């Protein structure tokens, strides 16, 4: 193992950055998505009256297919994104499989479904047995935590599409997960009332979103390497960025199988806490008790001179998952989370009859659509 380097001071910034300036244009993405949805929405009717017709529209964390006899099949797909580039820099590939599992199963549980299986797509530059072995170990470890099987997948050698300075290590990893749910137990954020409570579960750090912005801030503007040890992190920058995404399946499934009235579930990924608004109820969300984010977030913000609005739009800022419940159920939610090793907090409440906004009162921010603004 490499010895930690001396902790470096934060290098002077060369100017503020945001997601757009590092190549991720959310506004253009919105336009692209509108075209995609326009065509995909038309397919939702292709199985009208047949088994497998969608029970929901596009826009929730997962969709549900009606299998008949009151049963639904939840389905979702996601990848690991540019966290893979950090794995390459670290030459460490045994955790990104956990991220792939987490990004999928955490979406599946948001509609009240129990994850049951995932199939993976692994595109590789060349047939590197050691690389595939490490990635596969992560998939195994993530599946064990999520209590799912991986009954198949696809391995594709595409050297023309995947390149890297180091030969043979370029790859992309994507998964598609399914889960089962009784159609009368689907959770879509319907029935949220005034002053229901929002319980936030702690993230393990950056998870698997915003790595493009984080890498630019830390490695280019901050002048750090993956082996740079930072006192506030207690480890190297690379180790911090590769920390796997938390898999929230065990505590959430226990909550769903209890007498707790779970009204909404939200996986806090890209768009941050704006993910709370992906509910049917016309409600607003007041977040007034956020815990201090992990030190990695302030380090990224200082290095990149990133505005608060952008930090909360891109990153989870310490909260990886949210549960909306009546006030009477809050203590039971917190107890179950703690039993499974997840730190939980009552971070806010709902406001009925409001437009779908997220108010971050501690930070003076108002979120509308996919952006936060100074309130």
């Amino acid at each position: 193992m490499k010895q930690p380097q001396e902790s470096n001071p934060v290098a002077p910034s060369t100017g503020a950055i945001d997601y757009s300036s590092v190549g991720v244009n959310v506004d253009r993405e919105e336009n692209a998505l509108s075209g995609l949805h326009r065509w995909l929405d038309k397919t939702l009717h292709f199985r009208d009256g047949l088994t497998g017709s969608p029970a929901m529209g596009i826009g929730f964390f997962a969709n549900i297919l009606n299998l008949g006899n009151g049963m639904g099949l939840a389905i979702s797909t996601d990848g690991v994104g540019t966290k893979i580039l950090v794995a390459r820099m670290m030459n460490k590939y045994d955790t990104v499989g956990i991220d792939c599992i987490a990004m999928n199963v955490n979406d599946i549980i948001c509609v009240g479904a129990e994850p049951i299986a995932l199939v993976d797509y692994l595109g590789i530059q060349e047939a590197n047995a050691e690389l595939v072995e490490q990635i596969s170990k992560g998939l195994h470890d993530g599946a064990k935590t999520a209590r799912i099987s991986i009954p198949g997948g696809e391995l594709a050698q595409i050297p023309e599409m995947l390149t890297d300075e180091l030969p043979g290590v370029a790859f992309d990893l994507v998964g598609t997960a399914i889960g089962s749910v009784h159609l009368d137990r689907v959770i879509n954020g319907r029935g949220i009332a005034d002053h229901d409570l929002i319980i936030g579960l702690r993230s393990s750090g950056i998870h698997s979103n915003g790595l493009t912005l984080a890498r630019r801030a830390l490695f280019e503007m901050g002048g750090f390497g993956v082996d740079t040890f930072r006192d506030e992190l207690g480890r190297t920058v690379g180790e911090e960025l590769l920390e796997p995404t938390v898999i929230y399946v065990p505590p959430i499934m226990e909550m769903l199988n209890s007498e707790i009235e779970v009204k909404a579930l939200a996986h806090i990924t890209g768009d941050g806490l704006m993910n709370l608004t992906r509910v049917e109820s016309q409600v607003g969300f007041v977040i007034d008790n956020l815990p201090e984010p992990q030190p990695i977030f302030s380090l990224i913000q200082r290095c990149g001179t990133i505005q608060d609005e952008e930090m909360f739009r891109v990153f989870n800022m310490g909260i990886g998952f949210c549960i909306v419940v009546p006030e009477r159920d809050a203590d039971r939610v917190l107890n179950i989370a703690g039993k499974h090793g997840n730190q939980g907090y009552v971070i806010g409440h709902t406001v009925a009859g409001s437009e779908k906004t997220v108010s971050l009162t501690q930070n003076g921010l108002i979120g509308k659509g996919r952006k936060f603004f100074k309130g």
Side-chain angles (χ1 to χ4, degrees):
M1 177 178 292
K2 296 181 180 180
Q3 295 299 312
Q5 299 176 11
E6 183 178 356
S7 182
N8 294 358
V10 175
S13 173
T14 57
I17 60 172
D18 58 19
Y19 228 5
S20 179
S21 68
V22 299
V24 183
N25 191 308
V26 176
D27 294 328
R28 286 187 178 181
E29 181 180 308
E30 280 289 304
N31 292 333
L33 277 174
S34 65
L36 180 66
H37 283 178
R38 186 170 65 252
W39 286 101
L40 298 188
D41 283 344
K42 298 175 187 294
T43 73
L44 300 182
H45 305 292
F46 288 173
R47 294 194 62 81
D48 283 352
L50 301 173
T51 300
S53 60
M56 308 168 72
I58 294 174
F60 292 93
F61 293 92
N63 211 323
I64 297 176
L65 307 180
N66 188 341
L67 298 182
N69 298 316
M71 287 301 300
L73 182 75
I75 185 168
S76 184
T77 191
D78 206 346
V80 181
T82 61
K83 193 168 189 174
I84 286 172
L85 300 181
V86 180
R88 288 194 215 166
M89 297 169 72
M90 293 283 288
N91 194 30
K92 186 179 188 303
Y93 308 101
D94 60 346
T95 61
V96 290
I98 299 174
D99 291 290
C100 184
I101 299 292
M103 295 301 289
N104 282 281
V105 297
N106 288 347
D107 280 355
I108 290 288
I109 57 179
C110 285
V111 293
E114 178 181 8
I116 56 178
L118 174 143
V119 292
D120 68 285
Y121 165 79
L122 177 58
I124 54 176
Q125 184 180 12
E126 63 180 53
N128 183 328
E130 181 180 353
L131 173 73
V132 173
E133 174 80 13
Q134 288 193 48
I135 295 170
S136 301
K137 180 184 183 301
L139 289 169
H140 163 274
D141 293 348
K144 183 177 181 180
T145 300
R147 295 181 294 207
I148 64 170
S149 66
I150 304 178
E154 174 69 13
L155 179 68
Q157 295 185 61
I158 45 177
E160 300 93 341
M161 294 175 62
L162 295 171
T163 60
D164 192 83
E165 294 178 2
L166 297 174
V169 298
F171 71 96
D172 193 20
L173 178 63
V174 178
T176 298
I178 59 171
S180 62
V181 62
H182 289 276
L183 293 177
D184 60 359
R185 300 192 65 182
V186 169
I187 294 175
N188 53 17
R190 184 182 304 153
I192 298 175
D194 190 56
H195 219 280
D196 283 333
L197 296 187
I198 308 161
I199 311 295
L201 301 186
R202 193 71 162 162
S203 69
S204 58
I206 197 170
H207 281 186
S208 297
N209 293 98
L211 270 297
T212 299
L213 185 60
R215 287 186 297 107
R216 177 69 63 87
L218 296 171
F219 299 140
E220 296 187 25
M221 301 181 71
F224 304 142
V226 290
D227 293 323
T228 302
F229 184 89
R230 292 293 302 182
D231 290 336
E232 67 267 50
L233 304 178
R235 53 183 169 178
T236 68
V237 172
E239 288 169 337
E240 177 69 26
L241 294 182
L242 271 193
E243 179 67 33
T245 305
V246 176
I247 294 173
Y248 296 102
V249 173
I252 297 302
M253 290 313 303
E254 181 169 344
M255 294 174 201
L256 292 174
N257 291 324
S258 72
E259 297 301 314
I260 294 172
E261 185 184 358
V262 177
K263 294 189 175 184
L265 297 163
H267 186 195
I268 307 304
T269 55
D271 295 339
L273 289 163
M274 287 307 302
N275 282 285
L276 284 164
T277 63
R278 295 165 69 173
V279 296
E280 283 202 357
S281 297
Q282 193 68 27
V283 294
F285 300 85
V286 175
I287 310 295
D288 55 11
N289 188 40
L290 276 179
E292 185 71 22
Q294 290 92 340
I296 184 61
F297 296 110
S298 60
L299 186 62
I300 292 168
Q301 185 167 20
R302 294 200 311 275
C303 287
T305 320
I306 304 170
Q307 300 297 314
D308 284 350
E309 301 96 309
E310 191 72 357
M311 291 296 296
F312 278 95
R313 179 171 73 125
V314 175
F315 300 109
N316 66 64
M317 299 302 285
I319 296 295
F321 202 90
C322 290
I323 308 107
V324 178
V325 295
E327 186 173 356
R328 66 176 182 272
D329 288 329
D331 286 342
R332 284 188 287 176
V333 168
L334 294 171
N335 288 337
I336 290 173
K339 185 173 74 172
H340 289 275
N342 298 109
Q343 181 66 52
Y345 311 84
V346 178
I347 62 172
H349 63 275
T350 59
V351 180
S354 169
E355 60 178 323
K356 290 185 179 181
T357 60
V358 177
S359 301
L360 303 177
T361 60
Q362 295 159 274
N363 308 88
L365 300 178
I366 299 290
K368 298 179 181 180
R370 296 183 64 186
K371 294 183 180 181
F372 283 98
F373 306 89
K374 283 292 185 181

